[in-house]
């Protein structure tokens, strides 16, 4: 599991005093970006020289609200490694309470947007991560 | 179908020149907000005096990228009307090409976050909308 | 004066129920983008093929808070036309009450970020707009 | 000086591959929020139980662009301590190069939005910080 800490800040919260849900998707993107940076060691700044890793599908259940001052811990697991795609699950908790759970599929594409096989070393990192889950 | 136009602006786009996907969730929220305002005639400013309509679950497929200057047309349909929840489907197109499809469930809650039955008139508007789909 | 309407939506508002100020800068950017699109007839999607128009300096006074459901009217005036820069003033009102006032300077740059003289036709539009102020 | 690190992430960057300037204002707000949390020891979650600290005025010069993967270091100084207001200056650097400089004035208000004198301990922290500048 790749672990990512996310404090709930003022900018995340809506007039009801809880996280505005589109902001959660920014957090998920930040978590995936940190995973590629530190877990896969293929940082976004390098990826975007040759292509991109767009999200093809995402499904999220918002289980309990989060509020200003909470510290979320996002746990990311690789659930499926395909030739050009990768399945990821993220669960976010605060003090042992699950706040949201999400599953997403990302795809490796070249600069023209065409799916491209993962570099061998990247695929291996996904598999290593997957085994740790 | 409730129709909502969304031009793709500079703020929506990422270094790859296409919409950054968390921005799509802002658009979906704006579309649901416009639907409550104009389709249901229960605007968010009134809802938030007595409660809220948080999103409990959302699933999205990103089918084709959108870029600066595109005009998206989001079509919203009510797919399920429950006692305290409501199922919504949104499909976004540009020049006849589908860009994303999403299904979400919203819940009517009171100020303490407890699920609350929809007001009768609101439920009726959902059913009217549902019949139009 | 170039006029731009901006309804205050749920996404703009913070836990105090008023607009989170960084969101105002998105609105100003949207207003400048609409001005280039409709007032100058040099849309951002065309500008960004050959360069960009970054903001070099901006100064804003937040005079009164805005809340969910307000309709802001932003009035944009060109205040100074330079060789490679342009001064812009924006005043935002709601029902005759000023909400914020801002002055900004944008610069025309080429793809390498180097200042570039405005195209003659663009400069003329700025001057026409300036005369209308 | 209160020091705040801000890595430039994918979400901050525009189609030109550099930070979209409204995102800088989110960073400034995050920096002020962190300063209240760690430097002043009056966290936003406590402030917002009794009032707020809205920004009344802000002036920013964008000196050089920032790009994906940069690590910005924001240095915050208290420049003026008033009865109900506080002047703050922030300078952001990356590898010794200044990226932006900003001056802002925040005001302490109660729940009705009326200016309120700073709590004595908060004022003292501002003065301590000011002396360190």
């Amino acid at each position: 599991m790749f672990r990512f800490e996310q404090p709930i800040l003022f900018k995340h919260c809506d007039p009801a005093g809880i996280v505005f849900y589109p902001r959660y998707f920014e957090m998920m993107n930040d978590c995936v970006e940190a995973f590629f940076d530190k877990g896969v060691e293929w940082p976004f700044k390098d990826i975007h020289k040759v292509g991109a890793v767009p999200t093809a599908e995402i499904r999220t259940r918002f289980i309990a609200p989060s509020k200003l001052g909470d510290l979320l811990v996002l746990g990311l697991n690789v659930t499926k490694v395909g030739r050009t795609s990768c399945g990821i699950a993220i669960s976010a908790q605060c003090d042992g309470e699950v706040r949201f759970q999400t599953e997403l599929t990302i795809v490796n594409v070249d600069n023209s947007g065409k799916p491209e096989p993962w570099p061998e070393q990247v695929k291996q990192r996904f598999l290593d991560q997957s085994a740790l889950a």
Side-chain angles (χ1 to χ4, degrees), chain A:
Chain A
M1 198 187 77
F2 177 79
R3 183 190 155 95
F4 180 78
E5 293 200 350
Q6 176 66 62
I8 301 304
L9 301 173
F10 193 68
K11 68 178 173 187
H12 299 128
C13 296
D14 69 14
I18 60 174
V19 173
F20 177 57
Y21 85 83
R23 288 287 197 176
Y24 276 133
F25 290 93
E26 281 192 8
M27 296 177 199
M28 294 174 211
N29 191 76
D30 289 353
C31 177
V32 169
E33 187 169 348
F35 170 62
F36 269 85
D37 191 10
K38 297 192 179 69
V40 183
E41 294 182 353
W42 194 29
F44 271 28
K45 69 177 172 177
D46 293 338
I47 292 174
H48 287 90
K49 284 170 192 158
V50 293
V53 287
T55 298
E57 183 165 0
I58 189 164
R59 179 175 199 163
T60 308
R61 288 166 301 289
F62 301 103
I63 293 164
S66 299
K67 57 183 202 308
L68 185 57
D70 284 353
L71 178 64
L72 294 198
V73 179
L74 279 68
L76 179 156
N77 284 300
V78 172
T79 54
K80 195 179 167 193
V81 181
R83 205 177 62 93
T84 63
S85 69
C86 177
I88 286 173
I90 298 173
S91 178
Q93 304 202 0
C94 177
D95 293 331
E97 184 190 54
V98 178
R99 296 295 169 81
F100 69 81
Q101 290 176 321
T102 200
E103 296 98 44
L104 65 145
T105 302
I106 56 173
V107 181
N108 188 39
V109 301
D110 64 18
N111 271 326
S112 70
K114 207 170 66 74
E116 183 84 357
W118 294 108
E120 208 45 53
Q121 196 179 348
V122 168
K123 198 165 179 172
Q124 194 52 53
R125 294 288 173 108
F126 288 159
L127 292 168
D128 295 347
Q129 187 67 34
S130 178
L132 290 174

